[in-house]
Amino acid sequence: MTVITGGAGGMGTATAAVVGRDHAVVLADVRAERLDAAVAALIDRGISATGAPADVTDPDAVGAVFDTASGLGELVSVIHTAGVSPSMGDADYVMRTNAVGTATVGERFHASAPPGAALVNVASMAAYLLPAEMIPAQHFPVALSDPAAFLEKMRPAWESLPEEYRSGIAYGVSKSFVRWYSSAQAERFTAKGLRVLSISPGSTDTEMGRLEENAGAGAMVADAAVPRWGTPEEMAELLAFCAGDKAGYLTGTDILNDGGVVASVTERARVAASS
């Protein structure tokens, strides 16, 4: 049994189609109508799929998703694709959904998953592009014990900036948190026989990804080493592999799958600095 959060989104549904070849899937998403449609489409393809409406920032709702999954079979993996882009809300909303949501799902997984299970989180190439001095990583552990205090400690990262930049900075910080969580908690997870890691997609051709087509990450596609958008299916195959038994030695790390955007940006910056 695999739980996929953000299961009604393009990447989540694509991942369910891949994982569903081998496991029944429980799709969790806050958008109930879209979730029902995604589940129906998967069932039409012969995949055993169940929907579980949930807000990933709500511990009780996340607990109910895990209870649903455990009632259907042994949990083998959680693929946490749920998240929002800068264009989908204000800075607080972006940080809460992406960072607090990751901590909420991750801590429930740690508390209840059986040995051998894996948690794969979705971060972003944005976490590689934000300067380290803008990331209040020293406060990241607060999210595990006090989400409200965590949000208070995150706000100075963007509060002094013009309004149009705040959600973008919050997005980069929130995805830096996802990378941090997937690395910093690895030893704690391993003590219970669990794996945790993340992947960082580049601009992906989904409804959410296209919201950033004319700004932010989407504007970098033309100058990437691979000058095109990634597909949901490309991300799905990597997510499914990372969650599976063949990746049993893989934990505590992030895999950047961005078509070479970060590599190109980094090299251009080096050349510019040396000229």
Side-chain angles (χ1 to χ4, degrees):
M1 176 62 61
T2 293
V3 169
I4 300 174
T5 69
M11 195 180 302
T13 303
T15 302
V18 177
V19 174
R21 300 168 189 162
D22 302 312
H23 302 291
V25 295
V26 170
L27 272 59
D29 204 290
V30 73
R31 302 163 295 181
E33 290 186 4
R34 292 189 59 165
L35 180 61
D36 290 343
V39 168
L42 290 167
I43 290 173
D44 285 345
R45 298 174 64 172
I47 293 169
S48 177
T50 301
D55 177 347
V56 293
T57 68
D58 180 348
D60 291 336
V62 170
V65 172
F66 277 78
D67 289 344
T68 296
S70 64
L72 296 170
E74 183 174 73
L75 184 69
V76 297
S77 61
V78 172
I79 301 175
H80 177 51
T81 78
V84 295
S85 73
S87 297
M88 295 174 71
D90 65 21
D92 270 28
Y93 175 69
V94 170
M95 181 61 64
R96 184 183 305 108
T97 303
N98 294 349
V100 174
T102 295
T104 302
V105 171
E107 292 305 289
R108 178 62 191 229
F109 174 86
H110 179 266
S112 61
L119 168 63
V120 185
N121 295 311
V122 173
S124 169
M125 71 175 180
Y128 288 80
L129 298 171
L130 196 64
E133 58 268 23
M134 296 184 68
I135 303 171
Q138 71 274 21
H139 299 306
F140 282 175
V142 178
L144 279 61
S145 59
D146 191 337
F150 166 75
L151 291 172
E152 285 292 334
K153 290 182 179 297
M154 294 298 104
R155 290 187 184 113
W158 62 77
E159 281 184 326
S160 63
L161 299 174
E163 184 69 34
E164 62 266 29
Y165 298 118
R166 294 179 184 179
S167 290
I169 297 301
Y171 181 80
V173 173
S174 71
K175 291 302 188 177
S176 296
F177 175 88
V178 177
R179 283 187 63 201
W180 169 85
Y181 184 88
S182 305
S183 175
Q185 305 308 308
E187 188 171 348
R188 183 166 69 100
F189 275 55
T190 300
K192 297 189 70 172
L194 306 172
R195 293 191 297 116
V196 58
L197 66 147
S198 59
I199 75 157
S200 285
S203 297
T204 306
D205 194 5
T206 63
E207 181 181 350
M208 188 176 88
R210 286 290 180 176
L211 290 174
E212 310 304 319
E213 185 167 5
N214 297 316
M220 298 180 182
V221 171
D223 293 326
V226 181
R228 66 169 176 83
W229 289 69
T231 69
E233 292 74 20
E234 286 170 323
M235 302 304 165
E237 291 287 353
L238 178 58
L239 285 163
F241 172 78
C242 290
D245 291 341
K246 291 181 180 179
Y249 196 53
L250 193 62
T251 195
T253 193
D254 180 80
I255 299 173
L256 179 61
N257 191 22
D258 69 336
V261 169
V262 172
S264 295
V265 168
T266 301
E267 178 60 11
R268 290 190 181 116
R270 184 197 66 78
V271 171
S274 63
S275 62

